[in-house]
Amino acid sequence: MTTVDDVSRPSRIAGPDEAISAEELQLAARNHGIPLEALRYDVTPAGLHYLLIHYDIPDVDPVAHTLTVDGAVDRPLRLDLAGLRDRPRVTHRVTLECAGNGRALLHPRPVSQPWLVEAVGNAEWTGTPLAPLLREAGLSPDAVDVVFTGADHGVERGVEQDYQRALPVADALREEVLLAYEMNGAPLLPQHGSPLRLIVPGWYGMAHVKWLRGIRVLTEPFDGYQNAVAYRLRSDADDPGVPVTRIEPRALVRPPGFPDFMSRTRVLRPGPCTVDGRAWSGHAPVSAVEVTTDGGASWVPTRLDEPSGGEWAWRRWQFDWAPEPGRYVLGARATDAAGRRQPVEQPWNRGGFANNLVQRVEVVVLAG
């Protein structure tokens, strides 16, 4: 008898010298990161924003689509998109980052979507706040978790499932959590969750459920795959781990000069230039960014622009540089107001999650 186990294998770690597989390449072709030159934009254009699609982009009719709110509530609700648009409308600028960003840089490498450092974007999301909807439904006093179900369906590690993630009730009731139907002032694109998605500022991307069709309130912790099995920081296969939640601080360099086609090594002419980039954290506002030009041997502070777009959006930093001819390795590290600093050496975990290891940008400054 054929089962889903015949097409869906357990997670694994790549061998010491194992190259990226055809399966990983297929994932990398379906999903994409932000081109690093797009760090120039305060708001990432929709087509340049990072993208991760777990299963298929579902075929959802926005006119017929409805959202249900049920479970441990006094008054179950059912709303169509028009009904949601009639509710109070707000816009938040929010930096989203995939929890697996940086996975392919780990040694040994967890075999999955092979992100380097580009799985990020900063967009304006418009919708209606979730908390008033939950209060209108009337949460049970013993409610524990709120489960969000998307319309995308697939099989992962032998488990057939709709994509589902849960938030603790306290996090679901944060006023900034949105039921979003627009991105950058336009209706959501199919790949970004049309017609409705969840936006949870400060949390990694796995929490921002796309193609949202159902909200269920539970009186016990949610034990679905994406909460209890995936997206946990584990040291080995038997470790139950701890859940991945908020975004760790990270800074990225917008690579200066121009690139070599294959290696992406940057080429720069000598003389004064301004190196810049973006920094963010889901725990607290970014308070400092340092930059290195020698691969981490030394660090100097940068100038931080004034915050643009609110507490959940990335922040621009700048550094004046006048390099002599030679080879350099640039990087930047962020510190947030909670005292979290981006590491130079990243502790390893089996899923390759929350790897905010400092980026390396190789630069060759030409002679003359």
Side-chain angles (χ1 to χ4, degrees):
M1 180 179 178
T2 302
T3 69
V4 293
D5 289 332
D6 296 319
V7 297
S8 184
R9 294 182 291 276
S11 63
R12 69 182 186 87
I13 303 302
D17 299 313
E18 182 179 342
I20 296 287
S21 67
E23 287 181 333
E24 289 174 290
L25 180 59
Q26 180 175 239
L27 284 175
R30 280 186 58 81
N31 306 304
H32 66 77
I34 186 174
L36 290 177
E37 61 270 28
L39 293 171
R40 70 169 73 99
Y41 300 111
D42 285 339
V43 175
T44 308
L48 299 180
H49 195 285
Y50 101 89
L51 191 65
L52 177 67
I53 301 164
H54 276 81
Y55 308 130
D56 280 353
I57 299 171
D59 185 7
V60 180
D61 178 2
V63 175
H65 187 71
T66 59
L67 175 70
T68 59
V69 182
D70 58 19
V73 297
D74 297 330
R75 296 170 292 278
L77 303 175
R78 186 180 188 92
L79 299 98
D80 59 14
L81 194 60
L84 290 167
R85 284 182 171 273
D86 285 340
R87 300 177 70 88
R89 172 186 173 97
V90 297
T91 298
H92 294 314
R93 190 176 295 184
V94 179
T95 298
L96 265 62
E97 182 179 10
C98 185
N101 201 18
R103 175 184 291 123
L105 299 174
L106 290 175
H107 300 282
R109 186 185 82 254
V111 176
S112 185
Q113 165 68 31
W115 291 120
L116 297 173
V117 298
E118 296 91 347
V120 67
N122 186 65
E124 290 186 340
W125 304 95
T126 298
T128 193
L130 171 66
L133 195 71
L134 294 177
R135 289 194 288 264
E136 183 178 318
L139 297 182
S140 169
D142 54 354
V144 172
D145 275 354
V146 182
V147 181
F148 302 89
T149 300
D152 46 332
H153 185 86
V155 57
E156 196 165 348
R157 310 305 184 196
V159 180
E160 185 178 352
Q161 58 191 282
D162 292 332
Y163 186 84
Q164 292 181 304
R165 279 284 306 187
L167 291 173
V169 166
D171 288 290
L173 288 173
R174 288 166 49 205
E175 294 300 325
E176 63 268 23
V177 178
L178 286 184
L179 301 172
Y181 43 74
E182 290 181 8
M183 178 185 186
N184 294 350
L188 292 174
L189 294 170
Q191 65 270 33
H192 285 294
S194 174
L196 188 69
R197 70 175 297 169
L198 188 67
I199 295 293
V200 187
W203 282 52
Y204 280 111
M206 76 284 156
H208 304 245
V209 177
K210 294 187 282 189
W211 311 290
L212 183 64
R213 64 176 181 82
I215 299 173
R216 173 157 290 187
V217 180
L218 302 183
T219 56
E220 65 281 329
F222 178 57
D223 62 359
Y225 178 87
Q226 301 295 339
N227 270 65
V229 179
Y231 295 108
R232 300 185 75 85
L233 301 173
R234 291 187 170 91
S235 59
D236 56 55
D238 297 323
D239 179 7
V242 296
V244 177
T245 57
R246 289 181 176 267
I247 298 172
E248 295 298 322
R250 186 193 290 275
L252 287 181
V253 177
R254 180 165 69 98
F258 54 91
D260 171 68
F261 172 71
M262 281 297 296
S263 70
R264 310 309 293 179
T265 297
R266 309 302 295 190
V267 179
L268 192 63
R269 305 197 188 282
C273 69
T274 298
V275 178
D276 69 352
R278 305 284 174 167
W280 61 93
S281 172
H283 293 273
V286 169
S287 57
V289 175
E290 301 162 281
V291 70
T292 180
T293 61
D294 53 19
S298 62
W299 297 88
V300 294
T302 69
R303 302 189 307 277
L304 280 176
D305 285 8
E306 288 299 314
S308 174
E311 63 179 309
W312 308 113
W314 62 24
R315 192 171 179 184
R316 184 171 180 248
W317 57 266
Q318 301 181 65
F319 169 69
D320 295 327
W321 191 35
E324 299 294 328
R327 289 182 173 268
Y328 301 86
V329 178
L330 274 59
R333 66 181 180 188
T335 301
D336 68 22
R340 292 174 178 259
R341 174 182 283 182
Q342 194 175 348
V344 177
E345 296 183 0
Q346 174 65 42
W348 186 87
N349 67 86
R350 183 177 173 84
F353 297 122
N355 176 22
N356 60 335
L357 178 69
V358 168
Q359 172 197 19
R360 292 173 60 88
V361 179
E362 296 189 10
V363 177
V364 174
V365 179
L366 301 177

